[in-house]
Amino acid sequence: MHLLDDVRAQFPILTDRKIDDARLVYLDSGNTSQKPQRVIDAMSEFMATSYAPINRSSYRLAGEATEAYERGRQAIARLINAPSADEVIFTKNATEAMNLVAMSWGRANLAAGDVVVLTEMEHHANIVPWQMLAQERGIDIRWIGVTADGQLDLSNIDELLDGAKVLSFTAMSNVLGTMPPTKQLCAAAHAVGALAVVDACQFVPHNVTDVQAWDADLVAFSSHKMCGPTGIGMLWGKMEILDAMPPFLGGGNMIDTVTFDGFTTAPVPAKFEAGTPPIVEAVGLAAAVEFLEELGMANVRRHEMQLTRYALDTLKGRFGDDIKIYGPDNVEIRGGVFSFAFRDLHPHDVSQVLDESNVCVRAGHHCAKPLMKALGVHATTRASVYLYNDESDIDALADGLAGASDIFGF
Ligand SMILES: Cc1ncc(COP(=O)(O)O)c(C=O)c1O
């Protein structure tokens, strides 16, 4: 029996959807998560009964819609222990949140020769915006390396951070599952006067998150990986930092006033929410957060740690040297993302064969091409678990891999 035993039943796609008369074995939550019925219901009910513009119109229905939208912001603030909901900015996704950081804070604070430190295990969302800034104004990027067991190599961190203006890093690798020491890294950034930016896209859906305990400055993540809808992401930041940042996108909603000569900005968070925001999505997101709160993020983490241990033991036990799983073996410092090489089969072939038994995994570079290069591979197969997965899903993955061996004649 699992603590989260009745969870799967709340996800209609996992119970009702069949392909070739068989259930889905969804192991691609690192990519995007499935949605519980209550999130689907919250969004359709809002559209059916309460939909209206927010912030613009004074009739009661619009007031109700504004409150519903703001409930999404309050839910996120609770989930990450933010001091104030006003510090939560809604974006399109985590990628837009990272672009906001680089293009707003970066443009205002970085000049040619300034140093931004990243890690080799970053998703492209935390690389390309900084590289765009490097092209635009000649900042330098330094890279924290990765050890053989998939952890950050912090042996030369003082040297790398020397004179740096920004340290931007992932709280959990989407390829290796590794969870770097976030609090320690934020402190190291602050010790040299650098901004500490955290890509928490893979972390927040699976862990208790406390941005105040981290003492991070800016934190980005996405709704769609944590049971919420697509189309909405978050940037949390310390108010004094957000307050000093110039707007990223201009238009309606983000202004205080506009004249023929110019404009003044609205206070945070509206300053960063130009145009009509993702209203229905914020309602779905609030429902997703309430669902996660009821489960308890500590319980989610415990469940996934057990499942991660089971997966590592099962795959290594059944396939020995025929499987190479990247990332640390210690489940205390990793989450349930398993990138692997299987025999010398191409990851796309592996994923295609797994699909024959409805096992959904991702194959490719996982938007982490520099990490692929550091690992010396072009691609991996990646299985990733979430709160609705259990041992039977891992067994199905292992059976599917055994089937791949047969098909390819091993
Ligand atoms: C670590 C990490 N950062 C950023 C992102 C980008 O998220 P989104 O596609 O929601 O913008 C992802 C998505 O896979 C991710 O895994």
Side-chain angles (χ1 to χ4, degrees):
M1 276 289 275
H2 283 294
L3 192 65
L4 304 178
D5 250 355
D6 65 343
V7 166
R8 203 199 306 251
Q10 300 183 48
F11 289 76
I13 200 167
L14 300 178
T15 50
D16 301 350
R17 180 69 213 269
K18 304 278 185 275
I19 298 182
D20 295 339
D21 288 331
R23 76 171 179 101
L24 287 179
V25 178
Y26 190 73
L27 292 171
D28 200 17
S29 298
N31 206 336
T32 196
S33 75
Q34 295 297 349
K35 319 301 170 200
Q37 187 65 50
R38 60 198 282 175
V39 169
I40 301 164
D41 289 348
M43 293 174 77
S44 55
E45 196 184 311
F46 176 74
M47 283 190 284
T49 66
S50 311
Y51 183 76
I54 64 148
N55 292 343
R56 292 179 185 182
S57 306
S58 54
Y59 47 87
R60 279 167 295 170
L61 192 67
E64 253 178 54
T66 304
E67 274 171 30
Y69 177 71
E70 291 302 326
R71 272 199 293 280
R73 203 188 303 283
Q74 288 147 12
I76 288 297
R78 285 197 310 274
L79 188 72
I80 63 172
N81 194 30
S84 160
D86 287 345
E87 295 175 336
V88 175
I89 293 157
F90 284 137
T91 59
K92 185 174 65 181
N93 48 34
T95 302
E96 188 179 281
M98 293 307 298
N99 276 269
L100 197 172
V101 172
M103 297 309 157
S104 167
W105 191 94
R107 281 193 183 132
N109 292 283
L110 299 178
D114 281 344
V115 171
V116 172
V117 179
L118 305 176
T119 87
E120 287 182 353
M121 62 171 75
E122 296 312 312
H123 186 280
H124 295 164
N126 190 28
I127 297 177
V128 181
W130 300 111
Q131 290 177 330
M132 287 164 69
L133 204 59
Q135 283 174 2
E136 186 181 299
R137 54 184 59 193
I139 60 165
D140 291 332
I141 298 175
R142 292 183 193 151
W143 300 90
I144 300 175
V146 174
T147 62
D149 74 337
Q151 298 193 56
L152 288 184
D153 177 1
L154 299 178
S155 59
N156 58 345
I157 182 82
D158 292 342
E159 204 181 308
L160 289 171
L161 280 178
D162 187 25
K165 292 271 175 71
V166 179
L167 170 60
S168 188
F169 64 95
T170 185
M172 177 173 149
S173 162
N174 66 314
V175 175
L176 304 167
T178 313
M179 294 174 174
T182 303
K183 194 174 167 179
Q184 184 191 328
L185 288 170
C186 289
H190 291 153
V192 297
L195 187 80
V197 183
V198 181
D199 173 357
C201 222
Q202 295 287 342
F203 188 92
V204 172
H206 306 278
N207 293 276
V208 176
T209 305
D210 186 338
V211 293
Q212 296 188 69
W214 281 349
D215 194 22
D217 293 318
L218 296 166
V219 178
F221 51 108
S222 269
S223 147
H224 68 93
K225 293 188 200 285
M226 46 188 263
C227 299
T230 52
I232 186 166
M234 281 68 65
L235 177 69
W236 168 82
K238 288 179 180 162
M239 184 51 89
E240 67 271 21
I241 294 172
L242 296 174
D243 215 24
M245 282 163 55
F248 170 47
L249 300 172
N253 198 50
M254 52 70 73
I255 52 94
D256 178 32
T257 188
V258 186
T259 67
F260 286 115
D261 298 322
F263 71 97
T264 55
T265 53
V268 176
K271 179 169 73 169
F272 297 109
E273 294 183 357
T276 304
I279 307 170
V280 182
E281 288 77 2
V283 170
L285 175 61
V289 171
E290 281 157 23
F291 170 71
L292 294 174
E293 285 174 330
E294 278 171 31
L295 291 177
M297 292 311 297
N299 294 329
V300 170
R301 171 66 179 141
R302 199 169 309 120
H303 169 74
E304 290 183 22
M305 275 170 85
Q306 283 166 5
L307 200 52
T308 301
R309 186 69 271 152
Y310 182 81
L312 293 172
D313 291 347
T314 301
L315 295 173
K316 287 176 186 176
R318 276 183 72 170
F319 303 110
D321 290 342
D322 289 335
I323 195 164
K324 177 175 171 52
I325 304 176
Y326 298 96
D329 185 65
N330 178 0
V331 298
E332 300 284 336
I333 55 160
R334 71 167 294 149
V337 168
F338 316 103
S339 283
F340 57 88
F342 186 61
R343 301 184 185 268
D344 59 359
L345 297 181
H346 194 283
H348 287 114
D349 291 336
V350 174
S351 113
Q352 208 173 334
V353 173
L354 289 174
D355 183 48
E356 299 287 313
S357 23
N358 285 354
V359 177
C360 309
V361 298
R362 181 169 172 184
H365 54 67
H366 316 295
C367 299
K369 279 195 158 209
L371 178 61
M372 294 293 119
K373 189 162 172 58
L375 296 174
V377 297
H378 291 295
T380 69
T381 310
R382 184 188 73 180
S384 48
V385 300
Y386 203 14
L387 39 80
Y388 36 66
N389 293 115
D390 63 15
E391 284 84 351
S392 71
D393 298 321
I394 303 299
D395 292 342
L397 169 67
D399 292 345
L401 288 173
S405 288
D406 296 342
I407 289 168
F408 289 99
F410 290 103

